[in-house]
Amino acid sequence: MRETTLRQVLAVLFFLSTPGLSPAQSPFDGPAVPDSSRHFGLMFDIQCAPHFSSLSSYADGGYTVSLGFGLNFSPLFQMAIHVYTGRESIPPGSVKPLDGWLPVGGASLEGTVFLTSVSIVRPYGTLGYGLYTLAGGKGYNGGGPHFEAGVAWELARYFSIRAGAQYTIIRFHDPTGEAYQAAGFEPFTAHLLGGGIRFAFYPSVLP
């Protein structure tokens, strides 16, 4: 009789200590998958992306750091504007009139598609187009497409980390300086191959 009563008490205590479990969920099922099923709302991110450049036979080309802001339209699609800063290596003799380590500035519009809606790890692909300037008032203006593919780790509904491989094509079509500073300028194309890590935030400020 005492054993039966003890078993009943333990069963009641166990039931009360697990109020969050649904009838179909066992306490031994492991942790729940983070909720990444985000619908319409704001998003912000910061990314650091080192790259190699074809201008020096894919030697060290520099890096970019970007701040992004945009909209998450559904669990599978989002668009954002990214503002870039960083530096780019132009080897001597490859283009005219400037070479060396040049400051980078620019912005791009990018769309990202996720292959799954609810998962801890979500593969994604990104396509965008950006406008860039090298070396401020004495450099080059250009633009071109941007491609990225990788995976996102959903750490929480409001935060994720992405890591991906990137490929950017930039056609520099005119110099930024005065005519006398651009003597001998010829348009050129830079192919940038690299990778990036991005920290994305999804604040819950929209209905």
Side-chain angles (χ1 to χ4, degrees):
M1 183 68 178
R2 292 182 178 178
E3 288 186 7
T4 302
T5 303
L6 180 59
R7 288 177 182 176
Q8 291 175 342
V9 171
L10 291 176
V12 171
L13 290 176
F14 177 79
F15 176 78
L16 293 176
S17 66
T18 56
L21 296 178
S22 64
Q25 184 181 10
S26 165
F28 306 105
D29 287 343
V33 175
D35 184 2
S36 59
S37 58
R38 308 179 186 96
H39 297 281
F40 185 79
L42 293 176
M43 63 155 294
F44 302 92
D45 64 55
I46 181 171
Q47 182 187 62
C48 181
H51 62 265
F52 299 100
S53 174
S54 62
L55 291 176
S56 51
S57 300
Y58 286 105
D60 181 14
Y63 67 90
T64 59
V65 176
S66 68
L67 293 175
F69 53 94
L71 291 174
N72 189 82
F73 289 93
S74 75
L76 296 176
F77 179 71
Q78 60 186 222
M79 292 194 71
I81 295 174
H82 292 88
V83 180
Y84 291 89
T85 187
R87 67 176 190 169
E88 175 65 24
S89 176
I90 304 294
S94 60
V95 301
K96 295 180 180 181
L98 296 178
D99 55 47
W101 287 103
L102 306 181
V104 174
S108 69
L109 177 64
E110 300 179 357
T112 299
V113 175
F114 295 91
L115 302 186
T116 61
S117 60
V118 181
S119 177
I120 294 178
V121 178
R122 297 204 295 162
Y124 70 89
T126 296
L127 174 64
Y129 191 92
L131 300 176
Y132 308 91
T133 298
L134 292 180
K138 296 182 180 180
Y140 311 105
N141 291 320
H146 168 82
F147 309 92
E148 182 176 337
V151 294
W153 286 270
E154 303 295 343
L155 303 182
R157 184 175 184 180
Y158 306 106
F159 177 68
S160 69
I161 298 177
R162 299 187 209 169
Q166 301 178 346
Y167 180 61
T168 305
I169 304 171
I170 306 176
R171 178 67 173 174
F172 290 99
H173 46 74
D174 68 271
T176 60
E178 300 295 334
Y180 74 92
Q181 298 173 332
F185 170 79
E186 296 180 359
F188 63 95
T189 301
H191 299 265
L192 312 182
L193 179 63
I197 296 180
R198 178 173 298 177
F199 301 90
F201 304 89
Y202 300 86
S204 180
V205 296
L206 293 179

mmCIF file of all heavy atoms in Angstrom, residues 45-51 61-68 81-89 101-108 110 130-136 166 170 192 195 197-198:
data_model
loop_
_atom_site.group_PDB
_atom_site.id
_atom_site.type_symbol
_atom_site.label_atom_id
_atom_site.label_comp_id
_atom_site.label_asym_id
_atom_site.label_seq_id
_atom_site.Cartn_x
_atom_site.Cartn_y
_atom_site.Cartn_z
ATOM 1 N N ASP A 45 21.619 43.618 -39.751
ATOM 2 C CA ASP A 45 22.750 42.699 -39.668
ATOM 3 C C ASP A 45 24.067 43.453 -39.793
ATOM 4 O O ASP A 45 24.118 44.604 -40.244
ATOM 5 C CB ASP A 45 22.663 41.586 -40.723
ATOM 6 C CG ASP A 45 22.747 42.099 -42.151
ATOM 7 O OD1 ASP A 45 23.713 42.802 -42.482
ATOM 8 O OD2 ASP A 45 21.846 41.792 -42.947
ATOM 9 N N ILE A 46 25.145 42.787 -39.383
ATOM 10 C CA ILE A 46 26.501 43.285 -39.535
ATOM 11 C C ILE A 46 27.360 42.136 -40.038
ATOM 12 O O ILE A 46 27.216 40.999 -39.589
ATOM 13 C CB ILE A 46 27.059 43.855 -38.210
ATOM 14 C CG1 ILE A 46 28.481 44.389 -38.426
ATOM 15 C CG2 ILE A 46 26.997 42.833 -37.090
ATOM 16 C CD1 ILE A 46 29.017 45.170 -37.234
ATOM 17 N N GLN A 47 28.226 42.438 -41.008
ATOM 18 C CA GLN A 47 29.020 41.383 -41.634
ATOM 19 C C GLN A 47 30.462 41.828 -41.830
ATOM 20 O O GLN A 47 30.737 42.994 -42.129
ATOM 21 C CB GLN A 47 28.431 41.001 -42.996
ATOM 22 C CG GLN A 47 29.188 39.867 -43.693
ATOM 23 C CD GLN A 47 28.695 39.627 -45.112
ATOM 24 O OE1 GLN A 47 28.782 40.494 -45.961
ATOM 25 N NE2 GLN A 47 28.167 38.439 -45.356
ATOM 26 N N CYS A 48 31.390 40.876 -41.675
ATOM 27 C CA CYS A 48 32.796 41.075 -42.007
ATOM 28 C C CYS A 48 33.160 40.048 -43.072
ATOM 29 O O CYS A 48 32.885 38.854 -42.908
ATOM 30 C CB CYS A 48 33.669 40.908 -40.771
ATOM 31 S SG CYS A 48 35.432 41.169 -41.098
ATOM 32 N N ALA A 49 33.789 40.501 -44.176
ATOM 33 C CA ALA A 49 34.028 39.615 -45.315
ATOM 34 C C ALA A 49 35.397 39.885 -45.940
ATOM 35 O O ALA A 49 35.544 40.812 -46.741
ATOM 36 C CB ALA A 49 32.928 39.787 -46.358
ATOM 37 N N PRO A 50 36.414 39.097 -45.612
ATOM 38 C CA PRO A 50 37.695 39.189 -46.324
ATOM 39 C C PRO A 50 37.574 38.548 -47.704
ATOM 40 O O PRO A 50 36.725 37.676 -47.924
ATOM 41 C CB PRO A 50 38.643 38.401 -45.426
ATOM 42 C CG PRO A 50 37.777 37.425 -44.728
ATOM 43 C CD PRO A 50 36.446 38.107 -44.539
ATOM 44 N N HIS A 51 38.415 38.989 -48.666
ATOM 45 C CA HIS A 51 38.322 38.427 -50.000
ATOM 46 C C HIS A 51 39.670 38.446 -50.715
ATOM 47 O O HIS A 51 40.600 39.151 -50.316
ATOM 48 C CB HIS A 51 37.286 39.189 -50.838
ATOM 49 C CG HIS A 51 37.639 40.637 -51.052
ATOM 50 N ND1 HIS A 51 37.150 41.641 -50.253
ATOM 51 C CD2 HIS A 51 38.426 41.253 -51.976
ATOM 52 C CE1 HIS A 51 37.610 42.800 -50.666
ATOM 53 N NE2 HIS A 51 38.390 42.600 -51.713
ATOM 54 N N GLY A 61 43.030 40.472 -51.367
ATOM 55 C CA GLY A 61 42.384 41.625 -51.980
ATOM 56 C C GLY A 61 41.861 42.626 -50.986
ATOM 57 O O GLY A 61 41.437 43.710 -51.369
ATOM 58 N N GLY A 62 41.842 42.278 -49.701
ATOM 59 C CA GLY A 62 41.338 43.208 -48.701
ATOM 60 C C GLY A 62 40.135 42.651 -47.980
ATOM 61 O O GLY A 62 39.990 41.440 -47.807
ATOM 62 N N TYR A 63 39.224 43.531 -47.590
ATOM 63 C CA TYR A 63 38.057 43.114 -46.813
ATOM 64 C C TYR A 63 36.972 44.175 -46.920
ATOM 65 O O TYR A 63 37.223 45.324 -47.326
ATOM 66 C CB TYR A 63 38.424 42.917 -45.341
ATOM 67 C CG TYR A 63 38.793 44.216 -44.654
ATOM 68 C CD1 TYR A 63 37.824 44.998 -44.029
ATOM 69 C CD2 TYR A 63 40.116 44.680 -44.664
ATOM 70 C CE1 TYR A 63 38.157 46.204 -43.417
ATOM 71 C CE2 TYR A 63 40.452 45.876 -44.054
ATOM 72 C CZ TYR A 63 39.466 46.633 -43.437
ATOM 73 O OH TYR A 63 39.786 47.831 -42.846
ATOM 74 N N THR A 64 35.769 43.815 -46.556
ATOM 75 C CA THR A 64 34.676 44.769 -46.400
ATOM 76 C C THR A 64 33.956 44.487 -45.086
ATOM 77 O O THR A 64 33.911 43.345 -44.615
ATOM 78 C CB THR A 64 33.650 44.691 -47.544
ATOM 79 O OG1 THR A 64 33.102 43.376 -47.607
ATOM 80 C CG2 THR A 64 34.295 45.050 -48.872
ATOM 81 N N VAL A 65 33.407 45.534 -44.514
ATOM 82 C CA VAL A 65 32.521 45.446 -43.353
ATOM 83 C C VAL A 65 31.229 46.133 -43.754
ATOM 84 O O VAL A 65 31.258 47.233 -44.333
ATOM 85 C CB VAL A 65 33.135 46.122 -42.115
ATOM 86 C CG1 VAL A 65 32.150 46.101 -40.952
ATOM 87 C CG2 VAL A 65 34.429 45.427 -41.722
ATOM 88 N N SER A 66 30.094 45.505 -43.483
ATOM 89 C CA SER A 66 28.826 46.079 -43.926
ATOM 90 C C SER A 66 27.799 46.099 -42.805
ATOM 91 O O SER A 66 27.803 45.242 -41.920
ATOM 92 C CB SER A 66 28.264 45.300 -45.118
ATOM 93 O OG SER A 66 27.877 44.004 -44.731
ATOM 94 N N LEU A 67 26.930 47.098 -42.893
ATOM 95 C CA LEU A 67 25.749 47.192 -42.042
ATOM 96 C C LEU A 67 24.527 47.069 -42.941
ATOM 97 O O LEU A 67 24.445 47.746 -43.978
ATOM 98 C CB LEU A 67 25.722 48.524 -41.294
ATOM 99 C CG LEU A 67 26.805 48.747 -40.240
ATOM 100 C CD1 LEU A 67 26.704 50.175 -39.683
ATOM 101 C CD2 LEU A 67 26.669 47.740 -39.118
ATOM 102 N N GLY A 68 23.597 46.215 -42.569
ATOM 103 C CA GLY A 68 22.425 45.992 -43.395
ATOM 104 C C GLY A 68 21.129 46.244 -42.653
ATOM 105 O O GLY A 68 21.063 46.064 -41.435
ATOM 106 N N ILE A 81 19.219 46.376 -47.726
ATOM 107 C CA ILE A 81 20.239 47.284 -48.254
ATOM 108 C C ILE A 81 21.455 47.193 -47.353
ATOM 109 O O ILE A 81 21.329 47.267 -46.125
ATOM 110 C CB ILE A 81 19.709 48.726 -48.305
ATOM 111 C CG1 ILE A 81 18.551 48.838 -49.310
ATOM 112 C CG2 ILE A 81 20.825 49.694 -48.674
ATOM 113 C CD1 ILE A 81 17.881 50.189 -49.301
ATOM 114 N N HIS A 82 22.636 47.018 -47.945
ATOM 115 C CA HIS A 82 23.867 46.915 -47.181
ATOM 116 C C HIS A 82 24.810 48.064 -47.546
ATOM 117 O O HIS A 82 25.009 48.353 -48.729
ATOM 118 C CB HIS A 82 24.560 45.580 -47.434
ATOM 119 C CG HIS A 82 23.812 44.411 -46.902
ATOM 120 N ND1 HIS A 82 22.848 43.746 -47.622
ATOM 121 C CD2 HIS A 82 23.849 43.806 -45.678
ATOM 122 C CE1 HIS A 82 22.345 42.769 -46.899
ATOM 123 N NE2 HIS A 82 22.921 42.794 -45.716
ATOM 124 N N VAL A 83 25.350 48.715 -46.544
ATOM 125 C CA VAL A 83 26.299 49.814 -46.717
ATOM 126 C C VAL A 83 27.686 49.304 -46.363
ATOM 127 O O VAL A 83 27.887 48.749 -45.272
ATOM 128 C CB VAL A 83 25.920 51.024 -45.838
ATOM 129 C CG1 VAL A 83 26.920 52.152 -46.035
ATOM 130 C CG2 VAL A 83 24.504 51.491 -46.169
ATOM 131 N N TYR A 84 28.660 49.490 -47.274
ATOM 132 C CA TYR A 84 29.976 48.883 -47.142
ATOM 133 C C TYR A 84 31.062 49.916 -46.849
ATOM 134 O O TYR A 84 31.013 51.059 -47.309
ATOM 135 C CB TYR A 84 30.367 48.179 -48.448
ATOM 136 C CG TYR A 84 29.565 46.947 -48.743
ATOM 137 C CD1 TYR A 84 28.375 47.031 -49.463
ATOM 138 C CD2 TYR A 84 29.990 45.687 -48.326
ATOM 139 C CE1 TYR A 84 27.627 45.900 -49.749
ATOM 140 C CE2 TYR A 84 29.248 44.553 -48.599
ATOM 141 C CZ TYR A 84 28.067 44.670 -49.314
ATOM 142 O OH TYR A 84 27.334 43.548 -49.595
ATOM 143 N N THR A 85 32.059 49.460 -46.104
ATOM 144 C CA THR A 85 33.328 50.146 -45.985
ATOM 145 C C THR A 85 34.409 49.080 -45.946
ATOM 146 O O THR A 85 34.121 47.898 -45.771
ATOM 147 C CB THR A 85 33.384 51.039 -44.726
ATOM 148 O OG1 THR A 85 34.600 51.802 -44.751
ATOM 149 C CG2 THR A 85 33.362 50.197 -43.459
ATOM 150 N N GLY A 86 35.676 49.484 -46.120
ATOM 151 C CA GLY A 86 36.761 48.509 -46.129
ATOM 152 C C GLY A 86 37.931 49.000 -46.951
ATOM 153 O O GLY A 86 38.156 50.215 -47.061
ATOM 154 N N ARG A 87 38.673 48.058 -47.576
ATOM 155 C CA ARG A 87 39.791 48.442 -48.425
ATOM 156 C C ARG A 87 40.014 47.384 -49.498
ATOM 157 O O ARG A 87 39.611 46.232 -49.347
ATOM 158 C CB ARG A 87 41.064 48.638 -47.613
ATOM 159 C CG ARG A 87 41.638 47.375 -46.986
ATOM 160 C CD ARG A 87 42.946 47.667 -46.295
ATOM 161 N NE ARG A 87 43.641 46.451 -45.881
ATOM 162 C CZ ARG A 87 44.898 46.416 -45.439
ATOM 163 N NH1 ARG A 87 45.574 47.541 -45.348
ATOM 164 N NH2 ARG A 87 45.465 45.283 -45.091
ATOM 165 N N GLU A 88 40.649 47.815 -50.583
ATOM 166 C CA GLU A 88 40.889 46.944 -51.728
ATOM 167 C C GLU A 88 42.326 47.132 -52.210
ATOM 168 O O GLU A 88 42.849 48.250 -52.222
ATOM 169 C CB GLU A 88 39.916 47.272 -52.860
ATOM 170 C CG GLU A 88 40.137 46.511 -54.144
ATOM 171 C CD GLU A 88 39.903 45.020 -53.974
ATOM 172 O OE1 GLU A 88 39.162 44.634 -53.051
ATOM 173 O OE2 GLU A 88 40.461 44.251 -54.768
ATOM 174 N N SER A 89 42.958 46.039 -52.625
ATOM 175 C CA SER A 89 44.338 46.082 -53.103
ATOM 176 C C SER A 89 44.366 46.169 -54.630
ATOM 177 O O SER A 89 43.811 45.297 -55.312
ATOM 178 C CB SER A 89 45.090 44.833 -52.644
ATOM 179 O OG SER A 89 46.406 44.814 -53.178
ATOM 180 N N TRP A 101 46.750 50.109 -51.640
ATOM 181 C CA TRP A 101 45.575 49.827 -50.807
ATOM 182 C C TRP A 101 44.645 51.033 -50.842
ATOM 183 O O TRP A 101 44.998 52.113 -50.370
ATOM 184 C CB TRP A 101 45.990 49.522 -49.379
ATOM 185 C CG TRP A 101 46.625 48.177 -49.225
ATOM 186 C CD1 TRP A 101 47.953 47.897 -49.087
ATOM 187 C CD2 TRP A 101 45.951 46.922 -49.207
ATOM 188 N NE1 TRP A 101 48.149 46.548 -48.985
ATOM 189 C CE2 TRP A 101 46.943 45.916 -49.055
ATOM 190 C CE3 TRP A 101 44.619 46.533 -49.307
ATOM 191 C CZ2 TRP A 101 46.637 44.564 -48.991
ATOM 192 C CZ3 TRP A 101 44.308 45.196 -49.247
ATOM 193 C CH2 TRP A 101 45.308 44.215 -49.084
ATOM 194 N N LEU A 102 43.464 50.862 -51.391
ATOM 195 C CA LEU A 102 42.528 51.948 -51.570
ATOM 196 C C LEU A 102 41.291 51.742 -50.705
ATOM 197 O O LEU A 102 40.778 50.618 -50.595
ATOM 198 C CB LEU A 102 42.087 52.046 -53.037
ATOM 199 C CG LEU A 102 43.212 52.148 -54.066
ATOM 200 C CD1 LEU A 102 42.618 52.269 -55.467
ATOM 201 C CD2 LEU A 102 44.134 53.316 -53.782
ATOM 202 N N PRO A 103 40.774 52.814 -50.092
ATOM 203 C CA PRO A 103 39.536 52.696 -49.301
ATOM 204 C C PRO A 103 38.352 52.319 -50.187
ATOM 205 O O PRO A 103 38.262 52.729 -51.344
ATOM 206 C CB PRO A 103 39.358 54.096 -48.713
ATOM 207 C CG PRO A 103 40.713 54.729 -48.803
ATOM 208 C CD PRO A 103 41.364 54.152 -50.016
ATOM 209 N N VAL A 104 37.435 51.531 -49.628
ATOM 210 C CA VAL A 104 36.239 51.092 -50.345
ATOM 211 C C VAL A 104 35.001 51.668 -49.668
ATOM 212 O O VAL A 104 34.904 51.677 -48.440
ATOM 213 C CB VAL A 104 36.129 49.549 -50.361
ATOM 214 C CG1 VAL A 104 34.799 49.116 -50.992
ATOM 215 C CG2 VAL A 104 37.280 48.932 -51.127
ATOM 216 N N GLY A 105 34.068 52.141 -50.467
ATOM 217 C CA GLY A 105 32.760 52.549 -49.973
ATOM 218 C C GLY A 105 31.701 52.119 -50.961
ATOM 219 O O GLY A 105 31.974 52.016 -52.161
ATOM 220 N N GLY A 106 30.509 51.868 -50.495
ATOM 221 C CA GLY A 106 29.469 51.468 -51.430
ATOM 222 C C GLY A 106 28.217 50.992 -50.736
ATOM 223 O O GLY A 106 28.107 51.014 -49.503
ATOM 224 N N ALA A 107 27.262 50.546 -51.542
ATOM 225 C CA ALA A 107 26.002 50.025 -51.031
ATOM 226 C C ALA A 107 25.433 49.049 -52.042
ATOM 227 O O ALA A 107 25.700 49.140 -53.239
ATOM 228 C CB ALA A 107 25.011 51.154 -50.775
ATOM 229 N N SER A 108 24.646 48.088 -51.556
ATOM 230 C CA SER A 108 24.037 47.096 -52.439
ATOM 231 C C SER A 108 22.635 46.747 -51.965
ATOM 232 O O SER A 108 22.300 46.894 -50.784
ATOM 233 C CB SER A 108 24.890 45.824 -52.508
ATOM 234 O OG SER A 108 24.863 45.136 -51.268
ATOM 235 N N GLU A 110 20.179 43.470 -51.826
ATOM 236 C CA GLU A 110 20.314 42.024 -51.903
ATOM 237 C C GLU A 110 19.017 41.328 -51.501
ATOM 238 O O GLU A 110 18.313 41.771 -50.590
ATOM 239 C CB GLU A 110 21.434 41.532 -50.976
ATOM 240 C CG GLU A 110 22.793 42.100 -51.310
ATOM 241 C CD GLU A 110 23.873 41.621 -50.361
ATOM 242 O OE1 GLU A 110 23.547 40.881 -49.409
ATOM 243 O OE2 GLU A 110 25.039 41.990 -50.555
ATOM 244 N N GLY A 130 25.440 45.978 -56.460
ATOM 245 C CA GLY A 130 25.973 47.068 -55.660
ATOM 246 C C GLY A 130 26.676 48.132 -56.485
ATOM 247 O O GLY A 130 27.094 47.892 -57.625
ATOM 248 N N LEU A 131 26.810 49.324 -55.899
ATOM 249 C CA LEU A 131 27.577 50.429 -56.453
ATOM 250 C C LEU A 131 28.718 50.728 -55.497
ATOM 251 O O LEU A 131 28.508 50.803 -54.280
ATOM 252 C CB LEU A 131 26.690 51.663 -56.631
ATOM 253 C CG LEU A 131 25.483 51.507 -57.566
ATOM 254 C CD1 LEU A 131 24.654 52.790 -57.567
ATOM 255 C CD2 LEU A 131 25.926 51.153 -58.982
ATOM 256 N N TYR A 132 29.940 50.905 -56.036
ATOM 257 C CA TYR A 132 31.132 51.013 -55.197
ATOM 258 C C TYR A 132 32.026 52.145 -55.681
ATOM 259 O O TYR A 132 32.042 52.486 -56.865
ATOM 260 C CB TYR A 132 31.928 49.703 -55.211
ATOM 261 C CG TYR A 132 31.108 48.489 -54.897
ATOM 262 C CD1 TYR A 132 30.492 47.762 -55.914
ATOM 263 C CD2 TYR A 132 30.916 48.061 -53.576
ATOM 264 C CE1 TYR A 132 29.726 46.647 -55.630
ATOM 265 C CE2 TYR A 132 30.154 46.949 -53.289
ATOM 266 C CZ TYR A 132 29.556 46.240 -54.320
ATOM 267 O OH TYR A 132 28.791 45.134 -54.046
ATOM 268 N N THR A 133 32.804 52.690 -54.744
ATOM 269 C CA THR A 133 33.816 53.699 -55.041
ATOM 270 C C THR A 133 35.113 53.313 -54.356
ATOM 271 O O THR A 133 35.105 52.906 -53.188
ATOM 272 C CB THR A 133 33.371 55.093 -54.561
ATOM 273 O OG1 THR A 133 32.193 55.480 -55.256
ATOM 274 C CG2 THR A 133 34.464 56.119 -54.812
ATOM 275 N N LEU A 134 36.220 53.439 -55.073
ATOM 276 C CA LEU A 134 37.549 53.215 -54.508
ATOM 277 C C LEU A 134 38.259 54.551 -54.329
ATOM 278 O O LEU A 134 38.270 55.380 -55.243
ATOM 279 C CB LEU A 134 38.392 52.327 -55.431
ATOM 280 C CG LEU A 134 37.969 50.865 -55.576
ATOM 281 C CD1 LEU A 134 38.914 50.150 -56.527
ATOM 282 C CD2 LEU A 134 37.972 50.168 -54.223
ATOM 283 N N ALA A 135 38.854 54.753 -53.166
ATOM 284 C CA ALA A 135 39.757 55.873 -52.894
ATOM 285 C C ALA A 135 39.088 57.234 -52.925
ATOM 286 O O ALA A 135 39.740 58.228 -53.217
ATOM 287 C CB ALA A 135 40.937 55.855 -53.873
ATOM 288 N N GLY A 136 37.810 57.309 -52.595
ATOM 289 C CA GLY A 136 37.162 58.608 -52.415
ATOM 290 C C GLY A 136 37.232 59.497 -53.636
ATOM 291 O O GLY A 136 36.803 59.132 -54.724
ATOM 292 N N GLN A 166 31.368 33.962 -51.035
ATOM 293 C CA GLN A 166 30.901 35.109 -51.802
ATOM 294 C C GLN A 166 31.698 35.262 -53.096
ATOM 295 O O GLN A 166 32.891 34.942 -53.155
ATOM 296 C CB GLN A 166 31.035 36.398 -50.993
ATOM 297 C CG GLN A 166 30.266 36.407 -49.700
ATOM 298 C CD GLN A 166 30.469 37.704 -48.922
ATOM 299 O OE1 GLN A 166 31.370 38.486 -49.227
ATOM 300 N NE2 GLN A 166 29.630 37.924 -47.927
ATOM 301 N N ILE A 170 32.841 43.500 -60.091
ATOM 302 C CA ILE A 170 32.688 44.955 -60.097
ATOM 303 C C ILE A 170 33.349 45.522 -61.354
ATOM 304 O O ILE A 170 34.558 45.348 -61.560
ATOM 305 C CB ILE A 170 33.316 45.607 -58.853
ATOM 306 C CG1 ILE A 170 32.768 44.973 -57.580
ATOM 307 C CG2 ILE A 170 33.039 47.109 -58.860
ATOM 308 C CD1 ILE A 170 33.412 45.511 -56.317
ATOM 309 N N LEU A 192 36.059 39.404 -57.167
ATOM 310 C CA LEU A 192 36.378 39.217 -55.756
ATOM 311 C C LEU A 192 35.798 37.897 -55.268
ATOM 312 O O LEU A 192 34.596 37.643 -55.402
ATOM 313 C CB LEU A 192 35.822 40.366 -54.916
ATOM 314 C CG LEU A 192 36.113 41.779 -55.426
ATOM 315 C CD1 LEU A 192 35.541 42.809 -54.474
ATOM 316 C CD2 LEU A 192 37.607 41.999 -55.632
ATOM 317 N N GLY A 195 34.652 35.099 -48.419
ATOM 318 C CA GLY A 195 33.621 34.563 -47.545
ATOM 319 C C GLY A 195 33.293 35.581 -46.480
ATOM 320 O O GLY A 195 34.033 36.548 -46.272
ATOM 321 N N ILE A 197 31.054 36.329 -42.504
ATOM 322 C CA ILE A 197 30.248 35.939 -41.347
ATOM 323 C C ILE A 197 29.320 37.102 -41.026
ATOM 324 O O ILE A 197 29.761 38.249 -40.912
ATOM 325 C CB ILE A 197 31.123 35.600 -40.132
ATOM 326 C CG1 ILE A 197 31.988 34.367 -40.432
ATOM 327 C CG2 ILE A 197 30.260 35.352 -38.901
ATOM 328 C CD1 ILE A 197 32.883 33.968 -39.291
ATOM 329 N N ARG A 198 28.042 36.793 -40.897
ATOM 330 C CA ARG A 198 27.029 37.837 -40.701
ATOM 331 C C ARG A 198 26.202 37.522 -39.463
ATOM 332 O O ARG A 198 25.748 36.395 -39.270
ATOM 333 C CB ARG A 198 26.127 37.923 -41.935
ATOM 334 C CG ARG A 198 25.012 38.938 -41.829
ATOM 335 C CD ARG A 198 24.280 39.064 -43.152
ATOM 336 N NE ARG A 198 25.179 39.537 -44.204
ATOM 337 C CZ ARG A 198 24.801 39.676 -45.470
ATOM 338 N NH1 ARG A 198 23.577 39.343 -45.842
ATOM 339 N NH2 ARG A 198 25.669 40.125 -46.361
#
